[in-house]
Amino acid sequence: MKSTALLAALLSVLAMSAQAQNIERVKLTDNDLTCKQIFGEIGQMDGMIARANQPVAVATQPPAGAGDGGQGAAIGAGVAGAVAQTALARSGGFGGFGGFGGGIGGGLGGMFGGIAQQAMNSQAQQQQANAQAAAQQAQMQAQQNQMVGQQAQGRKEHLTGMFLSKGCKMSDVQ
């Protein structure tokens, strides 16, 4: 459980520290660009816009027993308890105490079943926390991509205006 909280905190810190790339719309050196260089930068902006518009993939895997309302964890715990109870009953209990051993076996079976159920519940909670952290990171990445796409679009519009105002022609750059 502590590792889940640590992982979630680490992911949020990394996501906040990974600032989106800042694209300047206008640069002081823009007037020094040739028609071919302007056209090349327009192509770069087109590529950045295309990458920014790609959907952010989130790798999600449903937690164990997520679709069965927790029945999978309960069944697993019951099986573990039954196995422990059967093993103790077949061994004859503790030193041949007969019925006493079966009672202890039942108690230990219940205890082992409870421990197994707790472990499975903890694992399901950890998987859920990991999925939530991944979804948050994907949402932040999508927002950053949108911002980069808008900045690249602004730069492309500025460069296109420069291309036309300088009298550049497509035949000059091809």
Side-chain angles (χ1 to χ4, degrees):
M1 193 66 160
K2 289 181 181 179
S3 64
T4 303
L6 180 62
L7 177 65
L10 179 62
L11 285 176
S12 64
V13 168
L14 287 175
M16 288 188 304
S17 66
Q19 295 292 324
Q21 180 180 352
N22 192 21
I23 301 172
E24 296 179 38
R25 188 174 198 282
V26 179
K27 296 180 183 179
L28 293 175
T29 57
D30 283 348
N31 283 336
D32 297 334
L33 296 175
T34 65
C35 292
K36 194 169 189 173
Q37 290 171 330
I38 293 172
F39 184 76
E41 275 203 48
I42 290 172
Q44 288 177 347
M45 294 302 114
D46 282 337
M48 292 182 86
I49 292 167
R51 281 191 302 274
N53 289 332
Q54 290 179 348
V56 177
V58 179
T60 57
Q61 176 180 343
D68 61 5
Q71 291 176 348
I75 292 170
V79 169
V83 169
Q85 185 176 2
T86 303
L88 278 174
R90 285 189 180 170
S91 70
F94 290 100
F97 288 119
F100 179 69
I104 290 176
L108 286 175
M111 181 182 77
F112 288 133
I115 291 171
Q117 186 172 5
Q118 286 177 346
M120 294 181 94
N121 286 341
S122 176
Q123 182 182 14
Q125 288 173 349
Q126 184 174 4
Q127 287 176 344
Q128 184 180 14
N130 289 346
Q132 287 174 346
Q136 284 179 335
Q137 186 169 0
Q139 183 181 11
M140 290 180 73
Q141 184 65 42
Q143 290 172 348
Q144 289 177 351
N145 286 353
Q146 183 181 11
M147 188 170 61
V148 167
Q150 289 172 351
Q151 291 175 354
Q153 183 65 38
R155 175 89 176 133
K156 178 183 174 185
E157 290 171 5
H158 168 69
L159 291 169
T160 301
M162 282 185 52
F163 186 85
L164 296 173
S165 68
K166 279 192 167 190
C168 299
K169 297 179 185 173
M170 289 300 292
S171 59
D172 295 338
V173 295
Q174 292 178 345

